[in-house]
Amino acid sequence: MSSTHVETRTATGPVAVVTLSALVVTLVAASLSGVVAPLVLDDPGPLVRWALPLARVVSDLASATTLGLLLLAGFLVPERRTTERREQASRLAAVTGVIWFVASGLGAYLTFASLAGLRLGDPELARQFLTFVWSLEVTRVLSITTGAALVVATGALLARSRVAYAWLAALALAGIAVVALTGHSAGSASHEGAVNSLGVHLVGVTVWVGGLLAIAVMQPRIGADLRATVARYSVLAGWAYAAVALTGLQQAVIRLGSIEGIASAYGAMVAAKTLILVTLGVLGWQQRRRVIASIERDGSGFARLVLVELALMGAAFGLGAVLSRTPPPVPDVELAPSAVLSLTGFPDPGPMVAADWFTAWRPNWLMLAIAVLAVTLYAVGVTKLRRRGDAWPVHRTILWTLGWLAFVWATSGAPDIWGRVLFSVHMVMHMVVAMIVPLLLVPAAPLTLALRALPSRPDRTWGLREVILQVVHSRAMKVFANPVVAATLFFGSLAAFYWSPLFEQALTTHSGHLLMLAHFFITGYLFTWVLIGIDPGPPKWSPAMLLLILFATISFHAFFGVALTGTKFVLAPGFFEQINLPWGPQLLADQERAGEIAWGFGEAPTLILAILVARQWFSRDRQETVRLDRQADRDDDAALRAYNARLGRLSDETKESGASDEDRRRAGGLPG
């Protein structure tokens, strides 16, 4: 048998195992749970009922494989003299991306048929689908995922560089995470917690399963680099496993409600998924290390382990596809929600008292997890530096911790609780996230710490250190780190946000709220970094120009506050006029107060930024003076002596030139 046939057989074996396991478990679980039973009203027919979970599981597997192949090409497999392996992984990602596109599009079509109660042969189905596909949130989200799959598949077919693979992997992750907006989490009373945990859960599962499946498919091509590739994947898989386990537990608590919920069909499938997860964890912990160590001698042990793991992972995918259509013990929507709950996803917090600024607490688990992870990783980096004898200023660690504490307060404390219903408190949250938090985080120099603590890769692949270097020295960063651009993004986007429908979207949708927070944080951090940042990146402008831009920008910020204070119509009226808080202030009065907060809040941060820029200016001049003095001591003022000699030569040349002109005037009879 030829080597090509052997490689093909080896590559298709894992795909067959995971697909067969997923499809069989999907069919069995669907039949036992009753999700394919005929509906009493508007039944779409057996074909739609059975095809829906099958299309979902195929879409999930294809998206995971696509992402895994892109991660393999961009970050995992070592680089050699040729990039044939990367290109083959990219071409395979294009194939699985097409499958993802077709399965996701079919899932959107079947979902609409199920919601409309129309059979596949009904002539009205196609017309109504094209008319209303974007009106329903679930079909709109599935359409976005389908579009992302098409772009990723097309890009994977054309991509030939690690940068392209990295961007395509990021797009695939976004297309996968957005699915969290559908299903039970989208209608949960614990909406934001459910959506956040499901989004992280989906990302963790696809990275974990997709990475392993990609390595199994590409194993013949990886060859001698299999051990290094698997070792790198194992680190990624460990983080993914932790994310899947924690978010799975959170999902179970939200959806089951109590221990009695396990007795339901939903609870039984959750228990089965938990058992699979624990088994996979045991296999990964007890066997993966031994198998990795023996890969160079014999790769068959790894291949056998992979097949077992993929069979279990396929079963988990099948259970997940059925779970998304199984009614949970905790109902999705409360019976009589208030206007505040309907619009924000949270109950009316009631009137606010002064003590609430410090005592009120409603944890946003995603933001809290991000903050804890950021502080923990920073502490690990500092510890690593100190263990090898390198110093790291203590005040940077303190600033980093305080910055994330402020972030948690703004996103889980009073600014977030009452900021959902009061414009003025929302503005406090905005100012803290965009101005106070970056002012604390930027001087902590997290990228410098990461570059000093992270190991470099000698084989021309991208680890986290290489990714950081690529980003900070990229052409895009040169554009965004331009102080004028950063200032425009930071303050210029205020008007674009608050005087447009984006503000109302951020108040009424979870995705809009997350994008708003990300925008505030990123633009605030970028603007602060171009002024006082010490991390590596594009060349900094002169301190004089930075001060000019700072004062010009804060003037615009003051103008924004004045304009908001003087606005005589309610911004985001579809939200604030509809919630109609019985205890709240007058809408225009609260809006005017928000403008005053925006106007006055920038004074102290601006003063601090100006002082820090001036300090850097003074420090830079002092360092330059010290450098010149040391240079003069080493070469006995060679530069000064050369400068004086040059002045002497210029003086002599001037005297000689003057004498020659006088001689010419006398010889020609010209007047002096």
Side-chain angles (χ1 to χ4, degrees):
M1 181 178 295
S2 67
S3 60
T4 303
H5 290 163
V6 173
E7 290 180 1
T8 302
R9 184 187 62 184
T10 306
T12 57
V15 176
V17 168
V18 70
T19 304
L20 182 62
S21 173
L23 293 177
V24 169
V25 171
T26 300
L27 292 173
V28 173
S31 61
L32 294 177
S33 63
V35 299
V36 293
L39 301 179
V40 178
L41 298 175
D42 298 328
D43 181 55
L47 185 57
V48 172
R49 296 195 307 269
W50 282 96
L52 255 175
L54 294 176
R56 174 64 184 268
V57 76
V58 171
S59 175
D60 291 345
L61 284 175
S63 63
T65 309
T66 303
L67 175 62
L69 288 166
L70 292 171
L71 292 175
L72 181 72
F75 304 100
L76 299 180
V77 65
E79 180 70 83
R80 294 300 174 190
R81 294 181 180 178
T82 66
T83 58
E84 181 183 353
R85 294 182 304 196
R86 298 180 185 277
E87 292 176 3
Q88 184 185 27
S90 182
R91 289 193 294 270
L92 288 175
V95 174
T96 57
V98 171
I99 299 174
W100 177 18
F101 165 71
V102 173
S104 180
L106 179 61
Y109 193 70
L110 293 171
T111 299
F112 182 84
S114 178
L115 294 174
L118 298 175
R119 295 175 179 266
L120 288 183
D122 195 317
E124 281 291 308
L125 178 57
R127 185 187 65 80
Q128 291 193 23
F129 175 76
L130 294 176
T131 303
F132 300 108
V133 61
W134 204 251
S135 302
L136 303 175
E137 183 180 23
V138 60
T139 52
R140 180 170 64 249
V141 169
L142 291 175
S143 298
I144 293 173
T145 301
T146 304
L150 179 60
V151 174
V152 170
T154 305
L157 186 63
L158 303 175
R160 292 296 181 270
S161 67
R162 286 171 296 184
V163 176
Y165 301 145
W167 279 111
L168 289 173
L171 179 58
L173 275 176
I176 292 166
V178 76
V179 178
L181 297 174
T182 65
H184 302 301
S185 60
S188 172
S190 303
H191 175 77
E192 291 204 359
V195 171
N196 290 339
S197 64
L198 182 57
V200 176
H201 190 83
L202 291 175
V203 170
V205 167
T206 49
V207 169
W208 181 23
V209 178
L212 184 62
L213 187 54
I215 293 175
V217 170
M218 290 292 296
Q219 181 178 351
R221 292 287 185 181
I222 296 174
D225 294 316
L226 181 61
R227 179 177 180 181
T229 304
V230 173
R232 292 169 180 173
Y233 161 75
S234 295
V235 176
L236 194 62
W239 284 99
Y241 182 86
V244 170
L246 292 175
T247 54
L249 176 62
Q250 186 180 14
Q251 284 285 309
V253 171
I254 292 174
R255 305 315 305 155
L256 294 179
S258 63
I259 193 67
E260 289 78 11
I262 299 178
S264 64
Y266 190 95
M269 284 186 285
V270 169
K273 284 192 66 177
T274 303
L275 179 61
I276 292 174
L277 180 66
V278 172
T279 304
L280 287 170
V282 172
L283 289 175
W285 179 257
Q286 293 186 350
Q287 299 184 33
R288 184 66 57 78
R289 290 185 175 182
R290 185 170 65 251
V291 170
I292 292 176
S294 64
I295 280 178
E296 292 183 353
R297 298 191 306 270
D298 181 16
S300 60
F302 171 75
R304 289 192 296 269
L305 175 63
V306 166
L307 290 178
V308 174
E309 288 184 320
L310 288 177
L312 292 172
M313 290 174 175
F317 266 70
L319 290 172
V322 178
L323 268 175
S324 66
R325 296 190 55 76
T326 303
V330 176
D332 286 342
V333 181
E334 294 188 0
L335 295 179
S338 64
V340 175
L341 181 61
S342 299
L343 290 172
T344 68
F346 295 100
D348 187 344
M352 185 180 184
V353 297
D356 289 331
W357 285 107
F358 308 100
T359 60
W361 176 253
R362 186 172 65 199
N364 184 321
W365 296 111
L366 178 62
M367 302 304 160
L368 183 61
I370 291 173
V372 170
L373 185 62
V375 173
T376 302
L377 292 178
Y378 195 94
V380 170
V382 173
T383 303
K384 187 173 182 178
L385 260 61
R386 290 182 176 176
R387 283 179 178 176
R388 71 186 188 201
D390 294 341
W392 188 258
V394 176
H395 75 273
R396 293 182 182 176
T397 305
I398 295 174
L399 288 173
W400 184 256
T401 304
L402 290 176
W404 285 108
L405 286 175
F407 180 82
V408 170
W409 176 72
T411 57
S412 295
D416 182 74
I417 297 174
W418 280 272
R420 305 287 184 134
V421 294
L422 293 177
F423 197 168
S424 56
V425 183
H426 162 88
M427 190 58 68
V428 173
M429 183 270 294
H430 180 170
M431 294 296 106
V432 171
V433 172
M435 300 189 73
I436 302 300
V437 172
L439 191 59
L440 294 168
L441 297 183
V442 169
L447 297 184
T448 301
L449 175 63
L451 293 174
R452 292 179 61 184
L454 291 170
S456 60
R457 289 189 178 181
D459 55 8
R460 295 185 297 168
T461 56
W462 280 4
L464 184 56
R465 188 177 188 275
E466 288 73 23
V467 170
I468 293 174
L469 288 173
Q470 288 290 330
V471 171
V472 299
H473 295 299
S474 64
R475 286 177 291 182
M477 183 56 69
K478 291 180 181 178
V479 174
F480 290 117
N482 182 298
V484 175
V485 176
T488 302
L489 290 174
F490 185 30
F491 289 117
S493 60
L494 289 175
F497 177 75
Y498 284 106
W499 273 279
S500 74
L502 294 175
F503 183 30
E504 190 166 318
Q505 288 294 314
L507 292 170
T508 57
T509 65
H510 178 51
S511 57
H513 183 72
L514 290 180
L515 291 174
M516 176 194 69
L517 286 177
H519 175 76
F520 290 166
F521 179 82
I522 293 173
T523 55
Y525 191 98
L526 181 65
F527 179 70
T528 307
W529 181 84
V530 301
L531 294 176
I532 63 171
I534 58 177
D535 281 325
K540 294 293 182 67
W541 285 23
S542 67
M545 289 298 299
L546 292 179
L547 283 174
L548 179 63
I549 291 173
L550 173 61
F551 290 128
T553 308
I554 203 62
S555 299
F556 178 83
H557 188 267
F559 174 76
F560 163 76
V562 172
L564 185 59
T565 301
T567 301
K568 300 305 180 182
F569 57 89
V570 176
L571 301 182
F575 174 80
F576 287 111
E577 292 178 356
Q578 188 172 347
I579 59 173
N580 191 26
L581 296 173
W583 52 266
Q586 294 293 325
L587 296 182
L588 285 178
D590 189 57
Q591 184 171 291
E592 181 178 350
R593 187 179 181 187
E596 294 171 351
I597 292 172
W599 184 5
F601 209 103
E603 299 297 330
T606 302
L607 178 61
I608 295 173
L609 283 173
I611 293 173
L612 292 175
V613 172
R615 180 185 176 187
Q616 289 184 357
W617 192 354
F618 174 75
S619 177
R620 185 182 304 178
D621 288 345
R622 184 176 58 184
Q623 291 173 1
E624 182 64 15
T625 302
V626 171
R627 187 189 68 81
L628 292 175
D629 289 343
R630 290 176 178 175
Q631 179 68 26
D633 292 338
R634 287 194 300 267
D635 57 18
D636 193 23
D637 269 342
L640 180 60
R641 288 187 285 104
Y643 179 71
N644 290 334
R646 181 171 177 271
L647 289 180
R649 289 193 301 271
L650 290 174
S651 178
D652 293 341
E653 292 173 359
T654 301
K655 291 179 181 179
E656 293 176 359
S657 175
S660 300
D661 292 342
E662 182 66 23
D663 293 340
R664 284 194 294 270
R665 283 196 295 270
R666 290 176 179 176
L670 298 175

